[in-house]
Amino acid sequence: MVALILAGLFAAGFVAGLLGALLGIGGGIFLVPALTLIFGLPIRVAVGTSLVAVIATSAGVAAMLPPGRGADVPLALRLEIATTAGAIAGGVLAGYASPQALGVLFAAAVFATAGYTLYKARRSAAAGVPERLFAREYTVQRWPAGLAMSVVAGMASGLLGIGGGFIKVPIMYAVMGVPMGIATATSNFMVGITAAASVFVYYGRGDIHPLVVIPTAVGIFAGAMTGVRVMARLRVAWLRTALVALLVLVGIQMLLHSLG
Amino acid sequence: MTAFISAGAVALMAAGFATTFVAHPNLSLPGPAAVPVQAVVRLEVNDVGLWAMSAGILLLAIIPMLRVLLSLFMFLVARRLLDALIAGIILLELLLSTHVR
């Protein structure tokens, strides 16, 4: 029975990582609902597990690829001051928030991620002129707004165990004037550091359970690597629509589960 | 360097995982919480498997800190003092997070 559950945790992590990679988002948005809805884990344990999985995937990718490829590292570090502070605050707040409140917040984040994914898809489809995803020269603007929203992204990561890219990337692109490709790469560079800021808060609170974390983290890493390879061979338009629909269903489930 | 530390973390977690299931075949999930940081650092080993898994997770968790530390050194070498200061602030925040409950 235990072996079956462990295999299930690995499979949940694998599917979450795969779906996340196919959508270009982190696996946490799928993993936390899977751990709470399917395995019945307390949401704080699920969030702690997701944070370790995010770090594991980030470390694995960094070990395999040139670090910060395409990322604006000085921009990332400047924003990370605010994001890290937000993540620590989010991690602490999670200890005081009720599981129901966390569940409702998570459902809101899932809906926001679904909307962001659709926005990305429509913007790409509607562009008449090919956009310069990795422009060499650009001016970063509106620092106060960028830093303020980075705090929010960090709090989302610390509270909900997600990467926060659905906040960071639109802020960098739409508000701060960073080209989309660089904004995405910069967000990916930041995600492991942001997760590390709150994982110790969860660790100290006893919300990290190694027997759950390890098979899940291995699964999500394997799924993410598979998703990156598979994505290049698939026509993703219809797949993206199906996965967005799945995200909406997951959000509704989380909401119903939290509201009892 | 991060690849080496990642490999070490994975090895500790795998060894701990296997040891735990050999020692406790009737284990139930979610199982015990990770060993406190101080106990890991002081090598206070009551359960070898759990200690190893906890140590592996902690090793994994410090990798982002090491990346920031590496950035700090690189900026200092390149005399980019403002960037070095920013990396130093982030490092302090990450170190602070290890003491927050």
Side-chain angles (χ1 to χ4, degrees):
Chain A
M1 183 66 181
V2 170
L4 205 61
I5 296 173
L6 290 173
L9 287 169
F10 175 84
F14 185 88
V15 171
L18 180 68
L19 295 179
L22 290 175
L23 276 179
I25 58 176
I29 205 77
F30 291 104
L31 182 64
V32 173
L35 293 177
T36 53
L37 297 175
I38 299 172
F39 295 92
L41 290 174
I43 191 165
R44 284 206 293 261
V45 173
V47 170
T49 301
S50 180
L51 287 171
V52 177
V54 165
I55 295 171
T57 307
S58 170
V61 168
M64 292 188 329
L65 296 174
R69 188 176 66 172
D72 185 335
V73 175
L75 170 64
L77 292 179
R78 281 161 173 77
L79 293 178
E80 197 59 45
I81 292 178
T83 315
T84 300
I88 295 172
V92 171
L93 277 173
Y96 297 98
S98 68
Q100 291 78 12
L102 289 176
V104 169
L105 276 173
F106 196 92
V110 170
F111 293 136
T113 304
Y116 163 66
T117 306
L118 279 177
Y119 158 77
K120 257 198 328 184
R122 298 220 170 161
R123 197 190 51 74
S124 302
V129 175
E131 192 167 337
R132 293 168 63 201
L133 295 176
F134 290 92
R136 286 184 185 278
E137 292 188 15
Y138 54 93
T139 304
V140 181
Q141 307 160 11
R142 301 192 192 96
W143 279 100
L147 288 169
M149 289 309 296
S150 292
V151 173
V152 174
M155 287 187 73
S157 175
L159 270 170
L160 308 173
I162 55 178
F166 71 96
I167 300 174
K168 293 177 200 170
V169 174
I171 285 297
M172 280 190 273
Y173 170 69
V175 176
M176 302 184 76
V178 179
M180 178 58 105
I182 294 176
T184 304
T186 303
S187 174
N188 291 340
F189 177 82
M190 294 167 71
V191 70
I193 301 170
T194 308
S198 52
V199 77
F200 284 102
V201 179
Y202 282 81
Y203 192 102
R205 205 163 47 211
D207 289 328
I208 302 290
H209 292 249
L211 291 177
V212 173
V213 163
I214 291 169
T216 312
V218 172
I220 204 169
F221 176 76
M225 294 299 108
T226 304
V228 166
R229 285 174 174 76
V230 164
M231 191 170 61
R233 301 177 192 174
L234 287 178
R235 294 223 171 257
V236 294
W238 65 267
L239 183 63
R240 185 185 295 125
T241 306
L243 293 179
V244 167
L246 178 62
L247 267 177
V248 171
L249 278 173
V250 165
I252 292 171
Q253 280 295 314
M254 283 295 286
L255 202 54
L256 292 175
H257 183 258
S258 303
L259 297 175
Chain B
M1 181 184 73
T2 55
F4 179 74
I5 295 174
S6 297
V10 169
L12 272 171
M13 285 189 278
F17 201 75
T19 305
T20 297
F21 277 96
V22 166
H24 307 283
N26 297 322
L27 207 59
S28 64
L29 291 174
V35 173
V37 175
Q38 294 86 348
V40 170
V41 170
R42 290 176 195 158
L43 300 176
E44 292 171 9
V45 184
N46 294 322
D47 183 326
V48 173
L50 185 60
W51 182 93
M53 288 191 290
S54 304
I57 290 171
L58 285 174
L59 205 55
L60 198 66
I62 67 168
I63 287 174
M65 282 191 204
L66 294 175
R67 290 175 69 188
V68 174
L69 184 62
L70 189 63
S71 299
L72 170 63
F73 280 128
M74 287 169 61
F75 288 136
L76 284 173
V77 166
R79 300 214 181 274
R80 291 168 61 175
L81 299 181
L82 179 59
D83 290 326
L85 176 64
I86 289 166
I89 292 171
I90 295 168
L91 194 59
L92 279 174
E93 285 180 306
L94 291 173
L95 288 171
L96 175 68
S97 75
T98 63
H99 292 85
V100 172
R101 292 294 173 266

